[in-house]
Amino acid sequence: MTEDPPTRAPVILGIDDLRPLPWTTRIARSSGEGIKLLQEHRDSFIDELWLDHDLGGDDSILPVVTLMEEAAFNERPFRIGTVFVHSANPIGSETVVRSLTHWGYSVRRATAQEARR
């Protein structure tokens, strides 16, 4: 009898300054932490990436978005199943969705309820 190969645990990353996002594998609380988190997973598949736009004070998700755009521009995009944007900032959310969709990432705007699952 042959054994089934081990099942890979999903990798679910979150970048949000306030929400607990308990279903995530790892969470970053600032754009700088978010960049480091993505770089740590550079060569692996990320099942879900949850992004909040406003990260407290003058910080936002835009440096992370820029990193992802540059990776796609250089023909080496991050391998991500779905990016969920769950910000309460509608203009910021739309900017993130539009930018990442333009570069070929699968992006969905998530509701506040989904971010609390």
Side-chain angles (χ1 to χ4, degrees), residues 8-12 25 47:
R8 180 184 71 80
V11 175
I12 303 172
T25 309
D47 295 276

Side-chain angles (χ1 to χ4, degrees), residues 12-75:
I12 303 172
L13 306 179
I15 305 172
D16 190 307
D17 61 324
L18 297 173
R19 291 175 191 88
L21 307 178
W23 64 90
T24 58
T25 309
R26 299 220 7 236
I27 190 163
R29 297 296 184 187
S30 69
S31 61
E33 287 180 18
I35 287 170
K36 288 178 187 171
L37 186 60
L38 277 181
Q39 289 172 333
E40 288 173 21
H41 290 82
R42 184 64 182 107
D43 296 317
S44 59
F45 182 76
I46 300 166
D47 295 276
E48 296 179 11
L49 176 63
W50 288 76
L51 303 177
D52 182 17
H53 183 275
D54 301 320
L55 298 175
D58 293 334
D59 197 11
S60 76
I61 201 66
L62 295 182
V64 174
V65 171
T66 299
L67 174 72
M68 294 172 67
E69 290 172 320
E70 288 173 353
F73 176 80
N74 291 317
E75 298 181 3

Side-chain angles (χ1 to χ4, degrees), residues 69-106:
E69 290 172 320
E70 288 173 353
F73 176 80
N74 291 317
E75 298 181 3
R76 196 168 173 248
F78 287 88
R79 296 182 311 129
I80 303 170
T82 305
V83 177
F84 293 92
V85 180
H86 61 272
S87 178
N89 177 335
I91 294 170
S93 294
E94 185 54 36
T95 299
V96 173
V97 169
R98 197 173 334 117
S99 297
L100 294 179
T101 301
H102 171 80
W103 288 103
Y105 293 99
S106 173

